[in-house]
Amino acid sequence: METEEHESEEMDIVLSSMWPEDINEAGRQFNVEKPSADQDMLEEVTINKEPNIVDFKRLMELTNYSDKGNWQLANLIKNWEYKQANAVRLLKEEIDNLSKQQQEVELKKLEILEEHRFERDVYSGDKRPISILDENLKYLYQSAPRVKKDLIFEKKKVEIDAEYDSVVYWKQRGEHLEKLLEASLQRERVLLEKLQESIANLETQSSPVEELSQVLTRADNFLHFVLQNAPVVIGHQDKELRYRFIFNHFPSLGEEDIIGKTDVEIFSGAGVKESQDFKKEVLEKGLPAKREITFETELFGSKTFLIYVEPVFSKTGETIGVNYMGMEITDQVRKREKMAKIREEMAVQKAKETELTKTIHITEESMRAKQMLATMSHEIRSPLSGVVSMAEILSTTRLDKEQRQLLGVMLSSGDLVLQLINDILDLSKVESGVMKLEATKFRPREVVKHVLQTAAASLQKLLVLEGHIADDVPVEVIGDVLRIRQILTNLVSNAIKFTHEGKVGINLYIVRDPGTIIKQDSLSHSQDQSNASDKNAMPTLFKKYMQVGADTARKYGGTGLGLAICKQLVELMGGHLTVSSTEKQGSTFTFVLPHKLSTISDSSEELSDTDHQDILNDENDDDLSSGVFVFQPRTLGSLFSSQGSGRIQKLPPDSHGFQCSNGQTEDLSSLSPCSNVTYQETVSEEDLNGETSHSPQTCSDNNLNSDESCRFQPCDETSQTSVETHVVVTYDNRDRTNGSSECISSNKSPEIPKTEAKPKILLVDDNKINVMVAKSMMKQLGHDMDVVHNGAEAVRAVQSNGYHLVLMDVCMPVMDGLEATRLIRSFEETGNWDEAVKAGVEITDSPFSHSCPNSHLNEPRKRIPIVAMTANALSESADECYANGMDSFVSKPVTFQNLRQCLQQYLP
Amino acid sequence: MPRKVQNPPEFVPTDKCIAMDLKKMDTDSLNRMLLDRIQELERKGLVDHNFRQCYLLKEISSLTFFLDLIVVFLDDVHTVVRAMAKTLTQPVVNYDEMYSHHIKLKGSSSCIGACRIKDACFKIRHAIESNSKDGCLQVLNVVHNEYKSLHEQFDGVIKIERELVSRGTRQAS
């Protein structure tokens, strides 16, 4: 039995490739999932149609000649042989079984006979034979006879009513046994008949061809079942790539349209040729391959197929055609492409993000670095200003010549470092957007003149400084004069630094922009500068800390911040700074700034640059229109006077001292201060100080020589002394009093004591320490201050006294500095103290303008410079100060440095 | 005539020295001693250059300027610290009030050069901005300690300065 089962298992394995037979037309309607909507290709396919088109002749050929066909046939035959063998075996077994039964029957017969002879009937032949025909292979051999049931023996005991061992008994028993025997014989006959029948059946049932065709049909059915909705095309093409078989649900083409034709003959459009070539390739190479081909045909539009082509070989190994299978994957391709696109986008996005993060990181870093630099600079500035202030205080004491000289160097170096730190702070201010510009009326001519004058004053080279202002440049414009000055000064000092001979000049002209409706004129300042940088240095020119060459810094010094600041300032003001340069010829830095036109200038109105107009006469108007300033080399206020005088001797003998147009006297005085070096040189001639008042006289005598332009020409040797003396005086005055207005007055009327013109300063602070220190420092700087302790008092003080400058603490009891400033500004705008009264400040009746003795303070509602002083150094508090009308911002502690700056800025 | 700051100190001032009868010393020594004291304070980082600047202002202002300044300063700080402490004991802390106190403290200390108190003011400000009462108390404690140590140090300076002032006034009279 076991072996039988094993065998049957083996058979199962062998037969596993067989299709179940119960697949028929109805089987096709199995509940196969409908293809999704996107498989549109098959939408209209009807299953009823027999889609496969077969060239039978070819199939025969194939099965005859191709390896594959052979193999398939062999397989089928083998299969059939197995089945036959199996059937034979089964039959044999059946026969055995039957014969066994027969034997048993015989035996029984004998037993019965024996029983007749012996006492007891011991029949025990109840053995149920098992046929392998049942169960396992039932489906194959349904017609096999069911023998078993018939074979069951009845286990009947012979029952005889008659008395044992009587004749009747034996007779009855004999009859009974006879019947049994008959029945048994009957059964045997039936069995034999069935056996015959079965054998006949077997013979008729299985011929190889039938088997084969059965299998093929099943395979075909199954294929149809599986493929009925699949978007596939299966085909076979011969050597010439003519279709011999095609399975396709595509309904538009009939058999005759396809069989015997090539792809190219059937379709036209993109991809057809490619697929044809691909098939050829496979045919030639003899290796199966896959490829994705996108078709663009009239027949079925744009579709992408994944095509698998495998070559078919003949027995001799030649390729005789290709099997071809295509699957439509248009949607997948579309999805895939979309996916790829999305992935690509994501990658790009990611890259961008990382880039951005990097940039942010870098920006943060640089911001931090800048902040750090600014903080550092600020931190350095305070102690440094301490050093410089101390040195300055020291210089006021009695020192011998050598000490003074050393101190002079110390001061100038200190100033240099301070300048550098201020530059850095300026730069970071501009970059962080904290820098505030103010709009004030100013006279461009004067700015140019002053810049050149200042430059000329400290000039240590034989250079001519020129200023040309076009006639149409308005007398007054509105802008941030301080910053413009800073830019010009920076550019000019750069120019002087890098120019060895020739001239340095400022040209000022208007660039009119017809597009703008607003009255906005652009002033363009341009400046010539010999030498300077060569072309390849251009890109780095405006970069911070960049200098033309490594040796530049050594040769000329400087930090390389100047141009960067200029550029930033110009841009902040809405203009742009450009440079053009020719090596050995010079460079021109041009900047264009938009300016608002000032309303027609009132000659009596005061301007920051011309405080002294009231002193001047009507000739002052000449200055307003003069367009050319030339400053030629003059006595050099040099540390090494021998060098200076050596140069002077080279000058033409007919050169004159300062030649100024009328009205330039006061400028001369304000121009004259040379570097601290001059001071040092001249203090040694202290005894001259007494005679200083005469020197302006000399100067003004000379003034008459020129009338059109402001010309500063080298002095001749005779006038030199007086000029030098004059310089000394001016400088000395400046240093002590911090106001050039006094110098002017001394020029005009030297007899008037200087103290009379002392500006009035008000300090508003509740902090006693601050008041004490500030007052003491102010005293040192030559000024007295009034002090009040809160904003309300400040308002009252301003109301009753005219002040030239108010130093205002921000944080104060009763009324803070911001409100006080607001009230003062409100008065300046409206001319009344209503706001102050509203705020609860008691106002006395006398407005300050009447009480002010000084003529140029009598201007009613003149804007008083108010400088905030606060311990809160943060920028937002600076913003607050500016927003409330304060002009400037000084952070505590008060130092000589910031006091002096204030005084210089607001008390010219 | 400014003091010769650059000269190296000829002797190191100690408390013993201070304890010495100042009256027995001559004015120059006293001045030098005072400068040494100031230098010592600077070296210890208790004051910055502003302190010396304040000292130098005495020359221009008045004889008692420096002395007054220190006394007023100590008094000021004492007042402000007490005011701050009081503000902080309120059930609801008025941080605006704290802010103005801190500005005052910062102004005074930066002006005279008491840099450590000035630095503490930054911390107070930070605590105020984050509305942290604990932070304020903590920094206030720091300020108080700084004040105490500064007070001790200034005491020596005040003694010398007092002696100098009294001599100056005697001379003037």
Side-chain angles (χ1 to χ4, degrees), chain B residues 10-32:
Chain B
E10 277 157 20
F11 69 95
V12 179
T14 59
D15 285 343
K16 222 177 167 184
C17 296
I18 299 296
M20 271 165 47
D21 197 356
L22 296 170
K23 290 193 166 68
K24 283 182 186 164
M25 291 169 75
D26 61 85
T27 310
D28 274 356
S29 304
L30 274 179
N31 275 325
R32 211 180 306 136

Side-chain angles (χ1 to χ4, degrees), chain A residues 379 382-387 389-390 393-394 397-398 403 766-777 779-780 809 811 870-874 876-877 892-896, chain B residues 1-3 6 49-50 52-54 56-58 60-62 64-65 68-70 72-76 99-100 102-112 118 122 125 129:
Chain A
E379 291 301 312
S382 332
L384 187 66
S385 60
V387 172
S389 324
M390 287 307 103
I393 294 170
L394 194 61
T397 60
R398 222 170 287 153
Q403 282 173 329
D766 65 319
N767 194 319
K768 286 176 227 159
I769 306 282
N770 257 323
V771 170
M772 284 167 83
V773 172
K775 221 176 162 179
S776 170
M777 283 181 173
K779 198 171 166 189
Q780 171 89 347
D809 187 16
C811 229
T870 173
N872 188 359
L874 289 185
E876 71 252 36
S877 91
K892 282 181 186 173
V894 195
T895 58
F896 275 115
Chain B
M1 177 81 191
R3 309 301 181 270
Q6 62 271 40
H49 68 91
N50 285 308
R52 187 181 289 263
Q53 186 154 15
C54 289
L56 293 174
L57 284 173
K58 181 170 104 169
I60 327 145
S61 311
S62 67
T64 57
F65 175 79
D68 290 346
L69 198 69
I70 296 177
V72 169
F73 170 71
L74 290 173
D75 192 44
D76 257 12
Y99 186 84
S100 36
H102 125 270
I103 287 283
K104 181 158 191 200
L105 187 63
K106 195 173 162 191
S108 310
S109 54
S110 63
C111 196
I112 204 168
K118 186 185 84 177
F122 286 106
R125 186 199 168 96
E129 274 168 359

Side-chain angles (χ1 to χ4, degrees), chain A residues 605-624:
Chain A
E605 200 171 350
E606 268 191 71
L607 284 162
S608 57
D609 285 322
T610 56
D611 302 30
H612 28 265
Q613 276 182 9
D614 48 344
I615 303 164
L616 301 169
N617 302 324
D618 42 338
E619 288 144 333
N620 185 41
D621 290 338
D622 288 345
D623 178 46
L624 291 178

Side-chain angles (χ1 to χ4, degrees), chain A residues 397-412:
Chain A
T397 60
R398 222 170 287 153
L399 297 170
D400 63 33
K401 196 174 176 183
E402 196 190 344
Q403 282 173 329
R404 201 168 286 286
Q405 202 167 340
L406 292 173
L407 201 62
V409 176
M410 186 172 150
L411 276 169
S412 64

Side-chain angles (χ1 to χ4, degrees), chain A residues 124 257 339 371 492 841 883:
Chain A
S124 58
D257 293 328
M339 205 73 166
Q371 195 62 47
V492 169
V841 182

Side-chain angles (χ1 to χ4, degrees), chain A residues 179-196:
Chain A
K179 270 180 206 165
L180 280 175
L181 187 63
E182 246 174 64
S184 177
L185 283 172
Q186 181 71 32
R187 276 203 300 275
E188 199 183 320
R189 223 178 298 128
V190 168
L191 278 171
L192 277 171
E193 270 171 30
K194 280 194 178 165
L195 184 63
Q196 288 299 324

